[in-house]
């Protein structure tokens, strides 16, 4: 699928971008992978980390650019087959405090990426979404909801001639910056004997970056336009994670934070009428006049009316021992 293709990743110097590049270089022979982001220092570090691929004429190419700049995106996308849109402002408090900036990057940036893809003849586009865009309670989630809608609706503009736009949704990646695992680890490393838990009932999904990358590649392979792809993954209780990381620590309930949910939600009951279940994933199909049932990916079955997929109602929960194992193998190393 990716052999001989030119792929551009907005936000390619981020955690996802690094892992995507590792995965693609290990499994495919792409013609070019273009990293598109703003900070020259992050690009410099990435060029050094992938020195053998970053030489002149190498597979990895680096474009400084902002997703707020449509002209620059259009220049960068010349000759590009596939675009992965990963660039985002994604820290909840930063988006609350700087709402205009979150809107400019996450919404205006999404519109620019779509326009540039339409103008440059890109074949397929996958945008990264988050559980926070489902019934959003903070601005980050709100901007990502709008971004998801923009990408799904963009298929109407391409008029069946391409590009094909789709969305991949997952929750916090295990060990990602600002998430609960590094937070607990800092306390443990400083000799803390008590781990704060906002609410003892709280649950989360467990997803590794590898699984996120694989879902994006699946979306590139099978999307017909407007789908939202969601992995089937296990859940865990935050209290079990704390016990897995530090069996002897005390746990203290400190109260839910503003903008925080008890459970991660991936699929709402309102989505159930358009959701199909597959062996390893769910796909929410779009609700457009042009969408035809023959575009449904084979091998799935419709979920029951009212079905919801949340980290709280998941059938599979990791035990403390399983969490300890996953903490050794699954954490984001970038
Ligand atoms: N990490 C998670 O747990 C998680 C979970 C669910 C969904 N997601 C989604 O996955 C995507 C990637 O996340 P990540 O963890 O890889 O994020 P990350 O590590 O914070 O990386 C973000 C990337 O976006 C770039 N960027 C930010 N603003 C930009 C702009 N205006 N123009 C161009 N590039 C810009 C950053 O580079 P510069 O600063 O140099 O521009 C960086 O390369 C995001 O869309 C996020 O919403 C992430």
């Amino acid at each position: 699928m990716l052999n001989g293709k030119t792929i551009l990743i907005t936000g390619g110097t981020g955690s996802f971008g690094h892992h995507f590049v590792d995965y693609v270089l290990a499994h495919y022979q792409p013609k070019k992978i273009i990293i598109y982001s703003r900070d020259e220092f992050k690009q410099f570090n990435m060029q050094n980390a992938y020195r053998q691929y970053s030489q002149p004429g190498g597979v990895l190419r680096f474009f400084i650019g902002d997703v707020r700049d449509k002209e620059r995106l259009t220049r960068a996308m010349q000759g590009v087959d596939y675009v992965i849109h990963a660039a985002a402002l994604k820290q909840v408090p930063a988006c609350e405090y700087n709402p205009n900036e979150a809107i400019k990057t996450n919404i205006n940036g999404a519109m620019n990426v779509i326009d540039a893809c339409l103008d440059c003849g890109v074949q397929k586009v996958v945008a990264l979404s988050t559980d926070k865009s489902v019934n959003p309670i903070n601005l980050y989630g709100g901007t990502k909801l709008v971004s998801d809608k923009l990408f799904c609706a963009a298929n109407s503009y391409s008029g069946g001639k391409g590009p094909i736009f789709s969305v991949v949704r997952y929750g916090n990646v295990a060990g990602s910056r600002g998430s609960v695992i590094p937070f607990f680890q800092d306390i443990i490393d400083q000799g803390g004997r008590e781990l704060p838990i906002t609410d003892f009932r709280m649950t989360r999904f467990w997803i590794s970056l590898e699984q996120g990358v694989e879902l994006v590649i699946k979306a590139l392979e099978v999307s017909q336009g407007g789908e939202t792809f969601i992995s089937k993954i296990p859940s865990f209780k935050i209290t079990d994670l704390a016990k897995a990381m530090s069996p002897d620590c005390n746990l203290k309930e400190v109260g839910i934070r503003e903008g925080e949910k008890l459970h991660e939600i991936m699929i709402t009951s309102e989505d159930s009428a358009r959701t199909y279940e597959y062996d390893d994933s769910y796909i929410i199909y779009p609700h457009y006049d042009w969408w035809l049932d023959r575009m449904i990916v084979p091998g799935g079955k419709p979920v029951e009316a009212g079905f919801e997929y949340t980290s709280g109602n998941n059938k599979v929960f990791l035990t403390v021992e399983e969490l300890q194992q996953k903490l050794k193998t699954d954490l984001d190393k970038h």
Side-chain angles (χ1 to χ4, degrees), residues 13 15-16 38-39 42 66-67 86 90 140 144 173 177:
T13 54
S15 308
F16 174 87
R38 297 164 307 169
D39 178 13
K42 281 188 216 136
D66 196 314
V67 291
K90 61 170 226 226
Y140 168 55
K144 293 293 276 189
V173 172
R177 279 177 289 171

Side-chain angles (χ1 to χ4, degrees), residues 106-327:
N106 296 356
I107 299 180
N108 298 357
M111 291 196 283
N112 290 335
V113 168
I114 290 165
D115 281 342
C117 291
L118 284 162
D119 291 346
C120 296
V122 171
Q123 292 164 32
K124 284 206 173 180
V125 185
V126 177
L128 297 191
S129 173
T130 157
D131 63 289
K132 296 181 182 65
S133 72
V134 183
N135 295 346
I137 56 169
N138 52 52
L139 191 78
Y140 168 55
T143 57
K144 293 293 276 189
L145 166 70
V146 176
S147 170
D148 294 357
K149 296 274 181 202
L150 286 166
F151 277 96
C152 290
N155 292 283
S156 308
Y157 310 131
S158 57
K161 292 190 224 90
I164 287 171
F165 296 90
S166 66
V167 169
V168 157
R169 176 178 296 154
Y170 51 78
N172 261 351
V173 172
S176 65
R177 279 177 289 171
S179 67
V180 64
I181 294 175
F183 174 66
F184 283 168
Q185 196 58 53
D186 273 351
I187 297 174
I188 296 163
D189 290 346
Q190 289 167 32
R193 306 291 309 136
E194 187 172 82
L195 293 179
I197 311 276
T198 55
D199 190 304
F200 283 162
R201 295 167 297 168
M202 191 161 289
T203 64
R204 289 293 178 259
F205 284 108
W206 183 283
I207 187 164
S208 65
L209 261 181
E210 173 115 344
Q211 288 170 301
V213 168
E214 283 170 354
L215 191 63
V216 166
I217 288 173
K218 178 179 174 156
L220 281 176
E221 281 168 357
V222 304
S223 57
Q224 303 274 334
E227 306 90 341
T228 302
F229 293 84
I230 294 149
S231 281
K232 274 190 189 170
I233 42 179
S235 293
F236 62 94
K237 294 182 186 156
I238 297 290
T239 48
D240 285 344
L241 175 72
K243 286 178 209 159
M245 293 182 69
S246 182
D248 302 327
C249 264
N250 296 322
L251 307 184
K252 184 180 179 203
E253 199 168 36
V254 293
I256 199 157
R257 289 176 302 168
E258 198 180 334
E260 189 178 39
K261 288 180 180 171
L262 265 188
H263 309 293
E264 286 179 336
I265 308 172
M266 295 291 173
I267 302 171
T268 64
S269 59
E270 288 76 18
D271 292 324
S272 63
R274 293 173 292 114
T275 301
Y276 273 59
E277 179 174 8
Y278 295 83
D279 284 347
D280 56 357
S281 60
Y282 295 98
I283 302 178
I284 306 174
Y285 289 101
H287 197 60
Y288 294 118
D289 293 346
W290 49 264
W291 181 265
L292 305 170
D293 280 353
R294 68 175 161 74
M295 292 158 84
I296 285 173
V297 177
K301 59 177 193 312
V303 300
E304 282 177 16
F307 169 82
E308 289 181 334
Y309 187 48
T310 77
S311 60
N313 74 2
N314 197 358
K315 292 192 189 102
V316 186
F317 269 79
L318 296 170
T319 63
V320 173
E321 293 71 30
E322 286 167 335
L323 280 163
Q324 282 170 334
Q325 194 51 42
K326 284 197 170 287
L327 285 163

